[in-house]
Amino acid sequence: MTAPLDRRTDHRVTFAVLCIGVASFSLLQSMVNPVLPTIEAALGTDQATVSWVLTAYLLSASVFTPIIGRVGDKVGKERMLVVALIALAAGSLMAAVATSIGVLIAARVVQGVGGGVLPLTFGIIRDEFPRDRVAGAIGTAAALLAGGGGVGLVIAGPLVEAL
């Protein structure tokens, strides 16, 4: 009998998926800031309550980022990356259809669970990439994290106007 072939995904495809996850998390972190007054008016709430749209996301991400990363070390980084990406997508869908401030805040908590993409991305790069590509890949992912915050602030206004 022959051993089964190891069909690993090309590290460039993996890197593209990781970059999309990091960029999505980063954009979601900052895009809401400029539109908080619009959300406040649209959902008929006050400034103190609408600030929880941002706070819930950051609080959830700060709690779940290390938890998801650690669980990824135990049960598999790839498996937990899927969980984190599903949380980002599900939270985004919930936020898109939210008709009340409570639902929007809950959606942002779910999105925050997606913060696990950060430690998982760095761990997957370290574990799966060719040694000579690790530093560049980690640098690119970190730049996406930083750049996404700035881009999110800029595109939020036009995006809200268009939709």
Side-chain angles (χ1 to χ4, degrees):
M1 270 186 137
T2 60
L5 294 176
D6 184 18
R7 290 201 164 105
R8 301 296 290 177
T9 304
D10 184 343
H11 75 277
R12 291 172 290 208
V13 173
T14 302
F15 187 61
V17 171
L18 295 174
C19 285
I20 289 169
V22 168
S24 298
F25 175 76
S26 183
L27 286 170
L28 289 171
Q29 190 171 344
S30 63
M31 278 179 70
V32 74
N33 293 354
V35 297
L36 286 175
T38 305
I39 294 169
E40 180 182 344
L43 296 180
T45 188
D46 58 26
Q47 186 177 15
T49 304
V50 81
S51 69
W52 276 99
V53 172
L54 176 61
T55 304
Y57 181 78
L58 296 175
L59 185 59
S60 175
S62 67
V63 168
F64 283 101
T65 296
I67 292 171
I68 298 284
R70 183 67 176 142
V71 172
D73 289 339
K74 295 291 184 189
V75 302
K77 292 176 185 76
E78 292 82 4
R79 179 178 294 161
M80 291 311 296
L81 179 67
V82 171
V83 169
L85 292 174
I86 288 171
L88 281 173
S92 296
L93 179 62
M94 286 173 59
V97 299
T99 57
S100 72
I101 191 69
V103 172
L104 183 57
I105 291 169
R108 296 288 288 172
V109 169
V110 173
Q111 286 176 339
V113 174
V117 301
L118 301 177
L120 296 170
T121 292
F122 296 130
I124 290 169
I125 289 171
R126 187 191 68 239
D127 293 348
E128 303 291 330
F129 283 40
R131 206 155 186 65
D132 62 327
R133 303 277 186 195
V134 169
I138 287 177
T140 301
L144 278 172
L145 180 61
V151 171
L153 290 171
V154 174
I155 66 169
L159 192 59
V160 167
E161 288 296 319
L163 299 176

